[in-house]
Structure formats: C-alpha cells, structure tokens
Amino acid sequence: MKKVMLLLCLFSLLGTQYAMSQRKTKYKAIYQLNSDDDKVIRNTLRNIKNALEDPRLQNKVTIELVAHGAGVTAYKKDQPYEALLQELQAKGVLLVECENTMRERKIAKEELFPFISYTPSGNGELIIKQAEGWSYVHP
C-alpha cells in the first residue's frame, strides 16, 4: 500500500510540475527584415501576425521586428505599411530600425514612422537577441 501511495504522490507531483511549466513558458522571437520587396515586407508582417494569433503562443510571446539594409523601406512614412505596423505594435511587437542603415543611406528619423525604436546595429541586435535565447526568424 505504501508503494502505491508513493507512486500516486510521485505522479501527482510530476503532473503538477508539468502543468506549471506549461503556464510559465514564454517565447521570444526576433524577425529580420532586410528587403524592400513589397511582397517580402507584407509576408513578413503577415508571418508575425500569424504567430501572434497562434493559440499556443497567445499571451506567451514577445516579438521584435528588426529592419536593416533595404528593410528600412517598411518603416518609411512614404510607404503604405503604417496601418499594418501599428496593428502589430498594438499587439506588443517591438519595431526596431538599424541606425547604421540610416547613417549609410542618409535617412533622418523624421522620415520614419514616429513609433519606431532604434538599435545601433541591426546585425548586432540579431546576435545579442539570439545569444539571449530569442528564436531567429527570417521569412
């Protein structure tokens, strides 16, 4: 009888630990955008939206979109992406632009949407986030 009780307690404990670990799981993903192709930009934004809507990830995921190189196009005021970006930002997506790209292409912050954040280096951001355990996605 003692063995049966011990086994029941053990299984109960394991089940409780599993359930608690499932609730605490948080995911982090960094998406890279380095293309000015409209189709690539829209697909990237759609992929992020799809991840946010995945029932397994809802309220459990932090996403950052880092744009560098030609990807800066997505954040420019003269481009048609503002509503899509604001929708993602409203859901908690961090929208980040590479300052190296801005300097190299002579782009002022005033040319980009005012809700964009900045990083010194897009590549550096990718390296740091991956070292911190973020999943890397390059659609």
Side-chain angles (χ1 to χ4, degrees):
M1 186 66 166
K2 286 183 182 181
K3 287 182 181 181
V4 171
M5 290 299 287
L6 181 61
L7 284 174
L8 285 173
C9 287
L10 180 62
F11 285 123
S12 177
L13 180 62
L14 290 174
T16 302
Q17 284 184 332
Y18 176 77
M20 287 176 63
S21 71
Q22 292 300 94
R23 270 187 259 134
K24 291 181 182 178
T25 301
K26 296 286 184 184
Y27 302 97
K28 299 174 288 186
I30 186 160
Y31 284 70
Q32 177 183 12
L33 180 59
N34 61 347
S35 172
D36 60 359
D37 182 290
D38 180 69
K39 187 175 181 179
V40 171
I41 293 170
R42 290 183 186 278
N43 284 341
T44 300
L45 300 180
R46 186 176 59 250
N47 285 342
I48 293 171
K49 183 178 178 185
N50 289 344
L52 291 168
E53 292 174 353
D54 185 319
R56 299 167 299 172
L57 298 175
Q58 286 183 342
N59 302 315
K60 294 181 183 179
V61 66
T62 300
I63 295 177
E64 178 176 325
L65 172 60
V66 64
H68 64 100
V72 69
T73 300
Y75 293 159
K76 293 182 91 176
K77 288 180 181 176
D78 64 353
Q79 297 297 315
Y81 308 109
E82 183 174 14
L84 295 170
L85 292 168
Q86 285 184 326
E87 179 185 344
L88 293 176
Q89 187 183 44
K91 293 180 180 181
V93 176
L94 307 167
L95 305 170
V96 179
E97 174 56 39
C98 170
E99 291 176 328
N100 282 339
T101 295
M102 294 176 65
R103 217 174 9 268
E104 291 166 3
R105 295 173 182 243
K106 297 177 177 46
I107 298 170
K109 287 183 178 181
E110 294 75 28
E111 295 177 59
L112 304 183
F113 298 118
F115 49 86
I116 301 302
S117 298
Y118 300 91
T119 186
S121 163
N123 284 310
E125 186 77 356
L126 294 167
I127 292 166
I128 290 167
K129 294 294 183 171
Q130 288 179 81
E132 292 174 349
W134 290 57
S135 298
Y136 167 74
V137 185
H138 189 235

